[in-house]
Amino acid sequence: MQGVQFKLISANDPDIFQERLNRFVQSLPLETLLIDVKFSTSQNGSQTTYAALVQYKSVEEWKE
């Protein structure tokens, strides 16, 4: 797939993670198609890391 881009977003606090993810999605132009979002968590001792890999692509504006 040509023109596909990826953005990795992570945080150790779920509220900060959600804020970062929301901020990124809201910053995308209207001509951007979200293709996929993969979510994972990892544990290191008592600390949890939240991560999302966002796959997106810019497309042409729909014209009738």
Side-chain angles (χ1 to χ4, degrees):
M1 233 190 278
Q2 193 171 1
V4 174
Q5 297 179 330
F6 296 90
K7 174 75 173 183
L8 180 62
I9 299 167
S10 65
N12 294 329
D13 179 278
D15 293 328
I16 293 173
F17 170 72
Q18 183 175 357
E19 180 184 321
R20 288 178 181 171
L21 184 58
N22 286 339
R23 192 176 334 128
F24 173 71
V25 171
Q26 290 171 357
S27 74
L28 293 171
L30 290 176
E31 299 81 27
T32 303
L33 177 65
L34 285 176
I35 299 171
D36 196 12
V37 178
K38 302 285 189 198
F39 174 76
S40 71
T41 60
S42 63
Q43 193 82 26
N44 187 7
S46 63
Q47 189 170 12
T48 303
T49 300
Y50 305 88
L53 181 63
V54 181
Q55 183 180 5
Y56 62 101
K57 179 178 181 175
S58 295
V59 294
E60 291 184 27
E61 186 176 341
W62 181 267
K63 296 177 184 177
E64 294 185 33

